[in-house]
């Protein structure tokens, strides 16, 4: 056991700080996602303004991520991480102190917010690049699996904490808007904590300057592979966007009449299962390779996804969905590890950022289509078939295009 720890944590302090940073950030995202839209409604914004603000937040995060992640290896990874944390803190303060729709929309565009509770902003891409530099290639996928597990647990706990704290405050007589504002101050405080964590990172996370080559958007020799992966990842996310969690919640409510408490318990369990499954993915990848693991685990999960609307009872539908979650996220740490493996060290932040932005853009395109389909009872199951079908095609294209492009450790 002692030998494994030495190999896995070649630079223990930096790795632990990066893990702690992600747990802190995802916990904050988790509780913010529970109350953000409710807070905006409570302070008087219209539903149209709320929708526009959330859209601007996602667009702003994508643009910010593109600039920071493609510049991080040149300007400095730690500097860019600290800048992102400061924007997170400033955004929380602005939302807690202003009720102007115009001000909040501007802040949402330039700040770092996560309306969905999932990872946004520049942090993930730079942290992936840093972790890849801090661990041996043979241990990278195992570290990424634990990194994904940390995020899943932190998000789930943050969502529970956000709803619980707001509920306690309201039962104690605190106004609705004020109870949510407390959590926004907490979000700002987590941004400060995040900046302090990043300040403690050592220079060992930085890209090796001697190896840095003049490039466009932070890429040079791996540009072709990254662009092909980005196109495929966008396709995968476009398919997944038809069945994002909020739409799955809506489908189970419409199809089987699930109440909010049952839905909350269902997706809390689903997210925990998905996080734990990442650990298994690392073991499989060590035996059959990263690309094979991405495809072998993803294909059956998409078949299970298409089977969910075919189930005649709520119990069977839930069972199939949870079975899908046991393998559906195994491609996440393997996909991230593969991307880091096939690019040069000084391209890692840019590669992670560009592929991440491609996924964000893909996922943003399909929910509106899915919502329109679900509005027609006769087409309620169609989003599942579109999602599963598109993602199966993605799996086949990934295998065809990259099965021969093996990472160095394989």
């Amino acid at each position: 056991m002692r030998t494994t720890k030495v190999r896995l944590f070649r630079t223990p302090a930096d790795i632990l700080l990066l893990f702690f940073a992600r747990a802190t950030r995802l916990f904050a995202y988790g509780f913010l996602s529970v109350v953000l839209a409710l807070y905006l409604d409570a302070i008087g914004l219209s539903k149209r303004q709320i929708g526009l603000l959330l859209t601007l937040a996602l667009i702003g995060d994508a643009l910010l991520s593109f600039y920071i992640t493609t510049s991080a290896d040149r300007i400095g990874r730690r500097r860019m991480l600290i800048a992102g944390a400061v924007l997170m803190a400033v955004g929380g303060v602005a939302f807690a102190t202003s009720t102007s729709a115009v001000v909040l929309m501007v802040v949402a565009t330039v700040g770092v917010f996560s309306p969905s509770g999932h990872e946004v902003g520049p942090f993930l891409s730079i942290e992936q690049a840093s972790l890849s530099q801090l661990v041996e290639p043979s241990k990278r996928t195992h570290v990424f699996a634990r990194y994904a597990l940390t995020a899943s647990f932190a998000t789930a706990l943050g969502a529970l904490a956000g709803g619980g704290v707001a509920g306690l405050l309201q039962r104690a007589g605190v106004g609705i808007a004020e109870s949510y504002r407390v959590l926004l101050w907490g979000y700002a405080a987590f941004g400060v904590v995040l900046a302090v964590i990043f300040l403690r990172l050592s220079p060992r996370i930085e890209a090796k300057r001697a190896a840095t080559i003049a490039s466009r958007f932070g890429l040079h020799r791996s540009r072709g592979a990254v662009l092909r992966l980005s196109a495929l990842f966008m396709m995968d996310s476009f398919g997944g966007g038809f069945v994002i969690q909020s739409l799955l919640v809506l489908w189970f409510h419409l199809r089987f009449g699930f109440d909010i408490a049952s839905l909350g318990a269902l997706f809390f369990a689903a997210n925990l299962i998905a996080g734990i499954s990442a650990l298994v993915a690392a073991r499989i990848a060590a035996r059959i390779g990263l690309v094979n693991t991405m495809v072998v685990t993803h294909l059956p999960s998409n078949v299970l996804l298409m089977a969910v609307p075919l189930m005649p009872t709520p119990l069977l539908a839930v069972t199939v969905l949870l079975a899908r979650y046991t393998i559906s996220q195994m491609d996440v740490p393997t996909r991230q590890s593969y991307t880091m493996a096939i690019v040069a060290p000084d391209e890692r932040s840019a590669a992670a950022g560009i592929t991440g932005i491609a996924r964000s853009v893909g996922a943003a395109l399909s929910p509106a289509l899915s919502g329109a389909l679900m509005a027609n009872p006769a087409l309620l199951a169609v989003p599942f078939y579109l999602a599963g079908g598109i993602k199966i095609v993605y799996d086949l294209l990934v295998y065809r295009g990259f099965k021969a492009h093996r990472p160095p450790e394989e």
Side-chain angles (χ1 to χ4, degrees):
M1 180 63 71
R2 182 175 57 84
T3 301
T4 300
K5 288 184 178 180
V6 170
R7 290 179 179 174
L8 184 60
F9 299 112
R10 190 167 62 186
T11 312
D14 286 328
I15 293 177
L16 292 175
L17 285 170
L18 290 171
F19 268 66
F20 186 42
R22 195 175 199 206
T24 301
R25 184 170 67 252
L26 269 294
F27 183 86
Y29 288 168
F31 74 65
L32 180 71
S33 68
V34 174
V35 303
L36 182 58
L38 297 176
Y39 170 73
L40 297 173
D41 181 64
I43 61 175
L45 270 66
S46 68
K47 302 298 186 294
R48 183 177 180 180
Q49 288 174 322
I50 293 172
L52 178 60
L53 186 147
L54 297 180
T55 297
L56 289 173
L58 293 171
I59 292 173
D61 284 331
L63 294 175
L64 179 71
S65 297
F66 181 77
Y67 170 73
I68 289 182
T69 55
T70 55
S71 306
D73 287 348
R74 175 172 49 85
I75 297 175
R77 292 172 180 171
R78 189 173 70 159
R79 289 178 181 175
M80 289 307 197
L81 287 170
I82 293 170
V86 170
L87 288 173
M88 178 177 168
V90 170
V93 171
F95 265 64
T97 56
S98 176
T99 58
S100 167
V102 174
V103 170
L104 294 177
M105 286 181 187
V106 172
V107 172
T109 305
V110 300
V112 177
F113 291 94
S114 176
S116 65
H118 299 304
E119 187 75 73
V120 296
F123 306 108
L124 177 62
S125 302
I126 300 175
E127 288 175 358
Q128 286 177 357
S130 300
L131 285 170
S132 297
Q133 189 164 299
L134 294 170
V135 300
E136 298 172 11
S138 62
K139 299 297 181 183
R140 184 182 54 250
T141 306
H142 291 275
V143 171
F144 277 24
R146 287 160 177 76
Y147 187 65
L149 177 64
T150 299
S152 295
F153 273 71
T155 303
L157 292 174
L160 288 178
V165 169
L168 286 173
L169 290 172
Q170 290 171 22
R171 287 193 292 272
V174 178
I176 294 175
E178 288 302 319
S179 69
Y180 299 148
R181 191 170 282 120
V182 169
L183 293 174
L184 286 167
W185 281 111
Y187 184 79
F190 278 117
V192 174
V193 172
L194 204 57
V196 172
I197 295 171
F198 292 142
L199 278 168
R200 297 181 62 84
L201 290 170
S202 77
R204 286 172 289 193
I205 73 161
E206 302 292 351
K208 300 297 186 290
R209 297 303 178 90
T212 301
I213 302 173
S215 57
R216 184 175 179 84
F217 302 131
L219 298 174
H220 43 87
R221 74 183 190 195
S222 307
R223 186 182 304 163
V226 171
L227 293 179
R228 292 199 307 275
L229 281 174
S230 297
L232 289 169
F233 292 168
M234 183 182 292
M235 179 183 184
D236 179 42
S237 289
F238 176 70
F242 282 97
V243 287
I244 58 173
Q245 184 165 303
S246 59
L247 292 176
L248 286 175
V249 168
L250 177 62
W251 185 85
F252 272 93
H253 174 71
L254 294 174
R255 176 69 176 84
F256 295 115
F258 279 29
D259 59 29
I260 189 63
S262 300
L263 290 166
L266 169 60
F267 288 100
F268 178 77
N271 285 319
L272 292 184
I273 290 171
I276 294 170
S277 71
L279 299 178
V280 182
R283 295 181 179 274
I284 297 174
R287 291 179 176 273
I288 67 173
L290 291 169
V291 172
N292 289 337
T293 302
M294 290 163 59
V295 175
V296 167
T297 61
H298 212 228
L299 272 172
S301 79
N302 295 323
V303 173
L304 287 170
L305 176 64
M306 297 172 74
V308 170
L310 300 176
M311 296 299 103
T313 67
L315 178 59
L316 287 174
V318 167
T319 301
V320 172
L321 182 71
L322 292 179
R324 189 232 175 195
Y325 269 92
T326 63
I327 53 176
S328 66
Q329 299 301 303
M330 285 187 181
D331 73 310
V332 174
T334 49
R335 181 185 71 230
Q336 294 168 347
S337 181
Y338 181 77
T339 304
M340 294 297 94
I342 66 170
V343 303
D346 62 316
E347 296 178 292
R348 284 171 174 163
S349 293
I354 291 170
T355 54
I357 291 165
R359 293 188 63 82
S360 297
V361 172
L365 299 175
S366 41
L369 299 174
S370 184
L373 290 168
M374 286 188 178
N376 185 338
L379 303 177
L380 197 60
V382 172
F384 289 84
Y385 305 142
L386 287 174
I390 291 170
K391 290 166 82 67
I392 286 173
V393 173
Y394 153 80
D395 290 327
L396 298 176
L397 290 176
V398 165
Y399 184 74
R400 179 182 178 183
F402 289 91
K403 64 180 179 180
H405 196 166
R406 302 175 69 182
E409 66 267 22
E410 294 180 10

